[in-house]
Amino acid sequence: MAEKRFGDLVKAVIDIEKDIMAIGGELHADEEQILLEQDSKQENLWGINLYPSKTGEDFIEFDSMINIRPRQNNRSRGVEDKDIQKKIAEIVKKLIK
């Protein structure tokens, strides 16, 4: 999947409330829209990049334009809250084996 899109990464959006993930879109915004259409709430959606050829902490990159949310005290493309990062990593681990 990564080779067809961006070479070494796959874009994904995680719903941390529903423990679901949209994966493989061209843009995080595309995946976000799919989850919003399935009744996800925007404040629960976080964009990440997955690097299938890497392992451990290098497998997930917390980086997306959809993550910029000053009203949730997230002022960067990253996921600044370590608890949310942990939740995302747990969901990814559960869904990707």
Side-chain angles (χ1 to χ4, degrees):
M1 181 181 285
E3 293 173 4
K4 291 180 181 177
R5 293 283 185 172
F6 302 101
D8 61 343
L9 71 91
V10 177
K11 294 180 181 282
V13 173
I14 307 292
D15 182 329
I16 60 170
E17 184 67 27
K18 294 183 171 182
D19 291 4
I20 58 175
M21 173 171 57
I23 190 168
E26 185 170 339
L27 301 171
H28 289 114
D30 298 333
E31 296 158 338
E32 178 185 46
Q33 185 60 41
I34 289 168
L35 292 176
L36 289 170
E37 290 171 0
Q38 296 180 7
D39 297 323
S40 289
K41 295 180 180 173
Q42 204 273 332
E43 63 265 22
N44 296 327
L45 302 179
W46 296 92
I48 60 172
N49 298 315
L50 302 173
Y51 291 87
S53 64
K54 298 183 179 179
T55 59
E57 292 181 5
D58 294 333
F59 180 67
I60 300 173
E61 176 184 45
F62 302 96
D63 180 38
S64 173
M65 290 294 291
I66 71 167
N67 296 337
I68 299 173
R69 262 180 244 161
R71 71 180 184 284
Q72 288 181 253
N73 294 321
N74 201 84
R75 300 183 184 280
S76 73
R77 294 171 50 110
V79 177
E80 298 172 4
D81 186 316
K82 297 295 183 193
D83 290 335
I84 293 174
Q85 285 186 15
K86 183 178 175 186
K87 176 77 174 168
I88 291 169
E90 290 170 356
I91 294 168
V92 169
K93 185 177 180 181
K94 183 173 70 174
L95 297 176
I96 297 177
K97 301 185 184 217

